[in-house]
Amino acid sequence: MADEAVAARAAEPAAPKAKEARSPEAPPRGGGRGDDRAKDAPERPDAPEPTDTSDSADDEAGEREKERERAADRFKDRTRDPLTEEEGEEGPTDAAAAARARREGQKLLSSNRDLIGFDRSDIGQVHIGDINVRLDALRSGLLMRDGPVPAEELLRIRRTHIEPGGYVRLRRALEARRLLVLGGAPGTGRASTALALLEEVTRAGEGRENSERVRRADPARGVRELATQVAGGTGGHPRGTGYLLEPALDRPGTLPPDGMDLDQLASALAEQGSYAVVVVSVGSAANPLLAGRYGAICPPAPTRELVAVRLRQRLEEEHGDPVRGGGAGGPGDGRGPRDGDGSRDAGGGRDRNGGAHRDRGRDEHADRDGGEGRDRDSHRSTDRDRDGSPDGGGHGRRDGDGGRDGDGGRDGGRSGDRPGRGAGPDGDGSLSLLLERAAELREDPEVTEAVGLDDLRPAEAELFASLLAGHLRGTVSRAELLSGCRSLAAVQAYEWFAGVDRALAAPPPGDGRTPVRSGTAALFHPVAFRIALAVLGGASHSAVSAAAHLLTWELSVQSDPDSTPARPLFCDDPEADLALSRARPADGVVDVAGSEVTGRLIFYRGSALPAAVLAELWDRHFPVRAPVVRWLRLLADDPRPQVSMRAAVAAGELSVRDFEHGYAELIRPLAEAPTPRRRVFAATALDQAAGHASHRRAVRKVVDNWSLHGTPAQRWTAAMALGYGRCADSMDDTLDTLAEIGVRDDGEQLAVASLNVVRLLTLPECATVLRRLAAWTGHRREEYQDLALVSIVRLALTDVDEVLDDEPGTPLGDRGDWPLLLALAATRPELTGKLADLFWTALNTARSRDVALDALETLLRSASRKDGRAWTREGLAALLPALTAEEQDRRRLDWLLRRMMRDQDRPLAEERARALWRLAVPARQRRSEEEESHG
């Protein structure tokens, strides 16, 4: 025991009377700490009665007692939760929920990809090795104009398009009604599927001899003008023509066509023996169209099949397979041949890549929801057309000679110039061996992590296959392969934000109707939802949606400050939000008022997307920073930890992108806020920035300056940041700084300093913290002693999951609802003696004795749960014997157990009291009376 901290041997409690006559409230007479202060010196019950009975002696004794009570009250006040200042001492803080939310937010933004590691200074193209992909072609379909689709393009579509589920149903619907409204998220292959459908039906129709039988219609003209054009035969278009129209329904002031417009177009098409496919994005504007008789959802092609087919094509092109150029439906196409009426041969070669074959004989009911089922989680956003089509579709667009522009290895001599980057086909053997190596490379964990997307869209599959093939041919190094894979998420984020509000400057189409839709709110909501999902991914769907609406308001006000944004209340489409943002829902657990309840959570479909979105937002769109900063400040005030802590982690990541701006606009203003919630936000953001080696030194300098020269609010924030363990050079430096904060100004910040000392006890350097606490208990200054004593008591009252960063599955993580003191005693047996010494000191110091006894009672009651199942018994079995090594300690425990048994509100069962006594006192040390009382 820490005998050096005790003034004199502790006086033993009075000898117990008979069990039934003993007072349950008899106070223990433990020894006090020898801190050279008379007010804390224990009274000796065996000392002689004072002989001086004068009034002055009585006054002096009374004053000492009052001072002792005041010291105990001051100590108790310092053990309060520093996070409850704004809610009152009894208010909940949900510290465990905050710790979990921070941990989950860090996982989503820390997928082993440094945010500042991807150089995109030339965003106009991605160039990896010999693979050059221009991004200018991946822009919105608004750039498309009226004109025929070249015959060569139709041939490539026929040979390379990979059919999505429900393709047969879509073709039959188009043949029956002449008009199809095809919906999906941009980038999922909907335009390519539309062209493939038109190519099939027109080749079997009246326009089969026409070389320009498929045309793109000007999106600015709309359905009405197309119907007028088709009915009047204007433009010289022959009968049997197929039209592809992509109306810009998301432009401000644009109204979607109604049912009568579509009926008029269908009638005109029937008269001319023609067909049309109208491609729209899912959302509130297009949903009425998709719900009508012409509407259908276009699901994306499966990722694995896309990659397998594209990869085989790339390798065959390089390997010189003699069947590669064998015409439509050859092995190099990854497709079975079409029969005369445009349908697939049932034996078509979809099976060449291992399980990719699909039955071509699906009927309507068998694939109804396969093509239409509104599982929009699988839809994707962003138009990707490698040859001008806004969608990029499920086919690989190639130039006239069948190769990609700059796609590695087309010249045949490049691989020899890059030794050591893989073996070419000739050095490796047959094509089958290359395909085996390609399958292994595709499943490489490092490659999978670099891609960071759950599903690849057609254009992404094209690039991914090119990278894999280039690496196998030796034209792309391992580093270039991984860098190219990481670029996929960055390109997606770029496409999501590039020129979003450019349409605000465009006049509404002159179709004779008055626009009724709000401009800015409808335009910004999809963007706001993606940002909110990047910040709050893993939170409940309702929380993300509400945050998205807040951000929509801020963006709208920033864009048009003279107008009040209008947002319809009943036009949201949660499924469309998921589809347009590459998001997925999942059932999970949400923390509500300290309890866990089941909720609907939402995530990106890919670990790389949150970081990519934040990087794109902060690095390339400076005007949007102001509304996003205002929005993050609003989230800092949210009482739900799942919102505020995730936002704090994201704020830290944004500060890494530009620390000057993040510090000035987010961290420092919130660190000086009057409410603890905002200061915790700032501390968490600082710690997140300190997790990056590039910013650790700057963060540590900020924390050091605040702790020495800052305002009280800044010192409070610095203490919270230090509690994470990354904002100082070493654990000793962290403890030194926390002590300076805690003892300054008569211990004004002692409560928050002690809380963060306890948080440090969950780190591997736990033994260092315990040694420092022991040193503080013997310090000559009372403030240092109080810092140690308050930390010790708080250690006994704090649950593990309130301060732990570890996931379940670790020794401490599996004991999340245990008091940290008992969890450490159970999992770190080498520390049990030090823990017991420190807690014994708190029990035997006059000003901390009452609070420590209450804490000990709490520990004892946690031995088993209400239903009788074991709880912290293992920790008590380790701690209590060390805590009751001396006779006066066992008497104190005896007294406390008796008090608990006679508690009027929560009486402790006699059986449990006996079990606790047996845990603490070995049989050979039990006295007869305690044996009788406790078994």
Side-chain angles (χ1 to χ4, degrees):
M1 289 296 173
D3 294 330
E4 69 279 6
V6 182
R9 178 177 176 81
E12 295 181 359
K17 305 175 185 178
K19 182 172 65 172
E20 61 273 14
R22 185 170 186 177
S23 172
E25 296 300 324
R29 296 181 297 227
R33 285 188 40 78
D35 54 6
D36 298 327
R37 281 168 170 74
K39 60 179 179 285
D40 268 352
E43 293 185 1
R44 299 280 301 189
D46 53 347
E49 292 292 331
T51 58
D52 186 359
T53 59
S54 64
D55 292 342
S56 60
D58 291 341
D59 292 343
E60 183 179 351
E63 186 62 30
R64 286 198 302 269
E65 181 63 26
K66 290 180 180 178
E67 177 60 26
R68 191 175 296 113
E69 292 176 357
R70 285 194 292 268
D73 290 340
R74 284 196 303 271
F75 184 87
K76 183 177 182 180
D77 184 62
R78 286 170 172 174
T79 61
R80 75 190 189 282
D81 188 346
L83 305 180
T84 61
E85 292 176 3
E86 63 183 353
E87 301 172 4
E89 186 159 348
E90 301 302 323
T93 58
D94 282 342
R100 281 191 291 270
R102 171 179 172 269
R103 183 168 63 242
E104 292 165 3
Q106 287 180 320
K107 284 195 303 183
L108 292 178
L109 291 174
S110 303
S111 55
N112 295 328
R113 40 180 78 234
D114 190 345
L115 282 183
I116 58 177
F118 183 60
D119 182 12
R120 293 166 56 235
S121 56
D122 182 13
I123 197 62
Q125 60 185 6
V126 176
H127 187 203
I128 303 104
D130 294 334
I131 301 170
N132 184 51
V133 181
R134 292 198 58 81
L135 304 183
D136 296 337
L138 309 183
R139 302 293 177 83
S140 171
L142 295 177
L143 301 177
M144 303 306 301
R145 290 296 179 263
D146 186 51
V149 178
E152 295 82 2
E153 178 65 15
L154 294 178
L155 178 60
R156 284 195 294 272
I157 290 172
R158 182 183 176 189
R159 295 180 55 194
T160 64
H161 178 257
I162 297 177
E163 296 176 357
Y167 180 87
V168 175
R169 180 191 57 79
L170 295 175
R171 189 192 67 203
R172 291 174 180 172
L174 178 59
E175 290 172 339
R177 298 187 179 96
R178 300 282 177 170
L179 174 62
L180 183 66
V181 179
L182 194 61
T188 55
R190 52 189 187 157
S192 298
T193 297
L195 288 174
L197 289 168
L198 291 171
E199 191 276 336
E200 279 202 51
V201 297
T202 57
R203 182 159 44 87
E206 298 181 32
R208 67 175 65 91
E209 302 299 331
N210 179 15
S211 61
E212 298 181 353
R213 65 179 185 273
V214 178
R215 302 183 63 88
R216 291 187 176 95
D218 187 349
R221 293 182 179 178
V223 170
R224 283 188 173 183
E225 290 197 24
L226 179 59
T228 302
Q229 181 183 21
V230 173
T234 58
H237 304 162
R239 292 176 59 85
T241 299
Y243 299 91
L244 172 63
L245 174 64
E246 299 184 63
L249 301 182
D250 57 347
R251 299 180 66 186
T254 301
L255 289 170
D258 54 31
M260 294 185 63
D261 296 330
L262 296 177
D263 288 339
Q264 182 182 2
L265 177 57
S267 177
L269 292 168
E271 291 178 2
Q272 296 295 323
S274 300
Y275 302 89
V277 178
V278 180
V279 174
V280 297
S281 294
V282 292
S284 59
N287 284 349
L289 303 178
L290 297 174
R293 60 179 171 273
Y294 301 106
I297 295 295
C298 179
T303 294
R304 294 186 64 84
E305 184 173 350
L306 277 172
V307 174
V309 171
R310 296 293 179 263
L311 183 58
R312 187 181 187 98
Q313 290 170 352
R314 293 290 176 270
L315 293 176
E316 286 176 342
E317 289 166 1
E318 175 65 21
H319 195 263
D321 194 294
V323 300
R324 184 173 68 88
D333 301 321
R335 292 168 54 97
R338 297 179 188 267
D339 56 27
D341 64 0
S343 60
R344 296 279 183 200
D345 183 348
R350 276 288 191 96
D351 197 33
R352 322 163 2 146
N353 291 287
H357 178 74
R358 184 175 286 131
D359 180 13
R360 306 300 181 189
R362 296 181 298 262
D363 57 19
E364 290 94 328
H365 77 273
D367 58 23
R368 175 162 184 80
D369 263 14
E372 179 183 0
R374 303 175 67 91
D375 180 15
R376 295 185 188 164
D377 308 342
S378 60
H379 294 308
R380 308 291 176 265
S381 43
T382 297
D383 291 325
R384 304 218 175 153
D385 183 3
R386 304 217 176 259
D387 197 57
S389 170
D391 226 50
H395 57 83
R397 304 295 182 93
R398 303 186 182 90
D399 51 29
D401 62 359
R404 277 170 70 115
D405 178 21
D407 199 2
R410 297 285 192 270
D411 57 358
R414 294 289 298 273
S415 59
D417 298 332
R418 304 183 65 166
R421 295 191 175 182
D426 295 337
D428 191 274
S430 67
L431 176 63
S432 61
L433 292 178
L434 273 180
L435 291 173
E436 291 178 6
R437 291 180 54 200
E440 294 175 359
L441 183 61
R442 186 175 61 186
E443 302 300 328
D444 187 308
E446 191 175 11
V447 172
T448 301
E449 188 279 329
V451 171
L453 298 172
D454 294 349
D455 306 295
L456 294 181
R457 293 179 170 177
E460 294 163 349
E462 189 87 13
L463 177 58
F464 183 49
S466 297
L467 289 167
L468 294 177
H471 183 64
L472 292 173
R473 295 194 307 261
T475 60
V476 174
S477 69
R478 175 80 175 185
E480 289 173 329
L481 169 66
L482 298 178
S483 177
C485 291
R486 293 189 183 99
S487 73
L488 295 175
V491 170
Q492 171 67 98
Y494 168 75
E495 294 175 8
W496 272 343
F497 292 102
V500 167
D501 55 353
R502 188 176 295 123
L504 289 176
D511 59 0
R513 291 182 292 174
T514 303
V516 295
R517 294 177 62 211
S518 172
T520 56
L523 185 67
F524 287 132
H525 180 69
V527 175
F529 191 88
R530 292 163 189 155
I531 298 172
L533 184 55
V535 171
L536 303 179
S540 64
H541 195 168
S542 61
V544 174
S545 182
H549 282 293
L550 284 177
L551 183 55
T552 299
W553 175 277
E554 295 292 345
L555 295 174
S556 301
V557 170
Q558 185 78 10
S559 176
D560 188 6
D562 296 330
S563 302
T564 301
R567 178 77 182 164
L569 300 180
F570 297 98
C571 292
D572 274 4
D573 186 348
E575 298 301 321
D577 288 340
L578 296 177
L580 294 174
S581 301
R582 298 184 79 158
R584 62 177 177 85
D587 291 334
V589 173
V590 179
D591 290 289
V592 179
S595 301
E596 294 184 350
V597 297
T598 302
R600 188 172 188 254
L601 311 183
I602 183 172
F603 301 85
Y604 268 117
R605 297 183 67 86
S607 60
L609 287 172
V613 166
L614 294 183
E616 172 67 24
L617 178 74
W618 221 240
D619 290 350
R620 296 186 55 82
H621 304 283
F622 296 104
V624 84
R625 287 187 176 187
V628 169
V629 165
R630 293 195 299 269
W631 174 68
L632 288 173
R633 290 180 180 178
L634 291 174
L635 299 186
D637 292 325
D638 197 295
R640 295 168 295 180
Q642 65 164 325
V643 173
S644 59
M645 294 303 291
R646 283 181 168 88
V649 171
E653 291 295 332
L654 292 177
S655 297
V656 171
R657 309 297 306 181
D658 186 346
F659 193 72
E660 177 189 18
H661 185 273
Y663 175 78
E665 297 296 329
L666 277 171
I667 295 176
R668 188 176 64 185
L670 294 178
E672 297 170 348
T675 59
R677 185 174 289 123
R678 284 195 161 202
R679 298 199 294 266
V680 170
F681 185 101
T684 304
L686 271 176
D687 172 73
Q688 188 67 19
H692 293 259
S694 57
H695 289 71
R696 193 166 298 146
R697 182 177 179 182
V699 171
R700 291 174 176 175
K701 183 66 174 177
V702 167
V703 171
D704 189 55
N705 286 338
W706 284 356
S707 62
L708 293 176
H709 313 295
T711 64
Q714 287 176 335
R715 294 199 302 273
W716 194 100
T717 305
M720 289 300 300
L722 287 165
Y724 291 115
R726 297 192 292 192
C727 292
D729 292 334
S730 67
M731 181 59 71
D732 285 327
D733 290 340
T734 300
L735 292 167
D736 288 340
T737 307
L738 282 173
E740 291 170 358
I741 295 172
V743 304
R744 184 172 174 177
D745 298 333
D746 295 326
E748 178 186 358
Q749 307 282 2
L750 193 145
V752 69
S754 65
L755 170 64
N756 288 284
V757 170
V758 172
R759 293 171 65 197
L760 295 174
L761 286 166
T762 63
L763 301 179
E765 300 93 333
C766 176
T768 301
V769 181
L770 294 179
R771 284 195 299 270
R772 184 63 64 89
L773 287 174
W776 287 341
T777 60
H779 201 280
R780 62 184 181 85
R781 290 183 57 185
E782 181 180 324
E783 290 82 1
Y784 280 92
Q785 298 169 14
D786 281 352
L787 177 59
L789 293 171
V790 171
S791 299
I792 295 165
V793 172
R794 198 181 297 281
L795 172 62
L797 297 174
T798 301
D799 288 346
V800 171
D801 58 7
E802 296 180 30
V803 293
L804 185 68
D805 284 336
D806 289 351
E807 292 282 353
T810 62
L812 282 180
D814 289 339
R815 295 169 172 82
D817 60 349
W818 284 37
L820 181 57
L821 176 62
L822 297 182
L824 289 173
T827 60
R828 301 285 299 274
E830 73 278 8
L831 302 178
T832 301
K834 296 177 181 178
L835 292 168
D837 281 350
L838 289 170
F839 197 58
W840 182 91
T841 302
L843 287 168
N844 287 278
T845 303
R847 61 182 180 273
S848 61
R849 180 176 55 208
D850 292 344
V851 178
L853 274 173
D854 291 341
L856 179 57
E857 179 177 341
T858 301
L859 297 178
L860 294 173
R861 290 187 182 275
S862 71
S864 57
R865 303 185 188 275
K866 292 181 179 180
D867 59 3
R869 291 183 296 120
W871 187 0
T872 65
R873 181 183 177 88
E874 179 188 1
L876 287 168
L879 181 70
L880 288 179
L883 192 62
T884 58
E886 300 181 6
E887 181 64 22
Q888 75 269 18
D889 303 323
R890 292 190 288 273
R891 291 194 177 189
R892 178 171 47 229
L893 178 62
D894 170 62
W895 172 86
L896 182 58
L897 289 173
R898 291 173 183 270
R899 190 183 77 171
M900 293 168 62
M901 291 171 63
R902 299 181 185 184
D903 189 301
Q904 296 296 319
D905 298 323
R906 301 173 59 199
L908 182 69
E910 182 177 350
E911 180 182 354
R912 293 190 178 185
R914 290 177 179 175
L916 290 170
W917 180 255
R918 290 168 179 167
L919 282 179
V921 182
R924 66 180 182 276
Q925 296 179 354
R926 298 174 195 157
R927 298 189 320 160
S928 59
E929 187 167 343
E930 280 84 359
E931 185 70 21
E932 178 186 353
S933 174
H934 304 301

